[in-house]
Amino acid sequence: MDYESETVRAFIAKTLEGSAGDPVEDAVKLYFAVRDGLRYEVYGNDLSREGMKASAIIDRGFGFCIHKALVYAATLRAIGIPSRVTYGDVRNHLASPRLRELVGGDLFRFHSLTQVYLNGTWLKATPVFTKTLCRLYKIRPLDFDGHSDAVYHPYDEEGRQHMEFVRWHGEFDDFPYDLVIGGFQTHHPKLFASNTKTATGSLEEESADQRALLATGVAR
């Protein structure tokens, strides 16, 4: 979580330009900057130790939950707001057919979100799916107001079940590399093209396959 790096600080400066310095307002602005400013993509990701640095993720411009939650935690810490990352296993009912195949079902291990300390309370925030991807997969975008938790809605915009948490792994002050990446390699081996890089593909392109499956009533 290299929050003192020039890359992280430049991301913050651009996001908070003209800010009055209110911690809640700044936390919310950074949330949306990470959620929509970094493309959400499972495929073609660098999971090496170097590639998991917040600065490297910002430079690439994309990542999935473990990347984006880490970037958000780093930007918060850089402006003096306490933060940490947390992980849970989830059942994702609206993943694309190909992603389900690579993951080995609908149980995704080590889904990540950020915890932020505001006004004396630890809040959960999940700056993961962009508005664009939500629209393609027909999922409600997840907003954060700085006063209450922002965890995935259990249902999509048409009332179908989207995501449910089945196990929590705890909170961490920095990225627990061996635990998370080792867990991915153990439980989702087909997702890897190499030891530290995920398979190629595009979630945006695969959204058409998911919509077709939903239309048949098979996915729920």
Side-chain angles (χ1 to χ4, degrees), residues 139-151:
I139 300 168
R140 299 186 188 112
L142 186 61
D143 295 337
F144 178 56
D145 62 7
H147 299 286
S148 56
D149 290 339
V151 181

Side-chain angles (χ1 to χ4, degrees), residues 10-19 26 29-34:
F11 181 90
I12 294 167
K14 180 180 179 181
T15 302
L16 300 185
E17 183 178 3
S19 168
D26 288 350
K29 288 178 181 177
L30 287 169
Y31 174 90
F32 287 105
V34 173

Side-chain angles (χ1 to χ4, degrees), residues 163-185:
M163 183 172 287
E164 58 181 315
F165 288 84
V166 297
R167 179 188 178 188
W168 291 99
H169 293 283
E171 296 82 35
F172 302 85
D173 291 334
D174 205 344
F175 183 60
Y177 185 88
D178 292 330
L179 174 68
V180 176
I181 303 305
F184 280 160
Q185 292 169 335

Side-chain angles (χ1 to χ4, degrees), residues 12 24 30 47-48 52 61 83 96 143 145 148 150 157 162 182 193 209:
I12 294 167
V24 172
L30 287 169
L47 302 183
S48 68
M52 288 305 305
S83 65
S96 70
D143 295 337
D145 62 7
S148 56
E157 62 184 19
H162 170 45
D209 297 331

Side-chain angles (χ1 to χ4, degrees), residues 97-115:
R98 180 178 181 239
L99 186 56
R100 283 196 189 94
E101 180 182 354
L102 293 178
V103 167
D106 65 357
L107 182 61
F108 290 64
R109 309 281 183 164
F110 294 99
H111 171 65
S112 184
L113 50 94
T114 308
Q115 292 196 358

Side-chain angles (χ1 to χ4, degrees), residues 194-211:
S194 66
N195 193 44
T196 58
K197 192 166 185 178
T198 56
T200 59
S202 168
L203 279 176
E204 290 191 7
E205 292 178 4
E206 290 178 10
S207 66
D209 297 331
Q210 172 63 7
R211 291 196 301 274

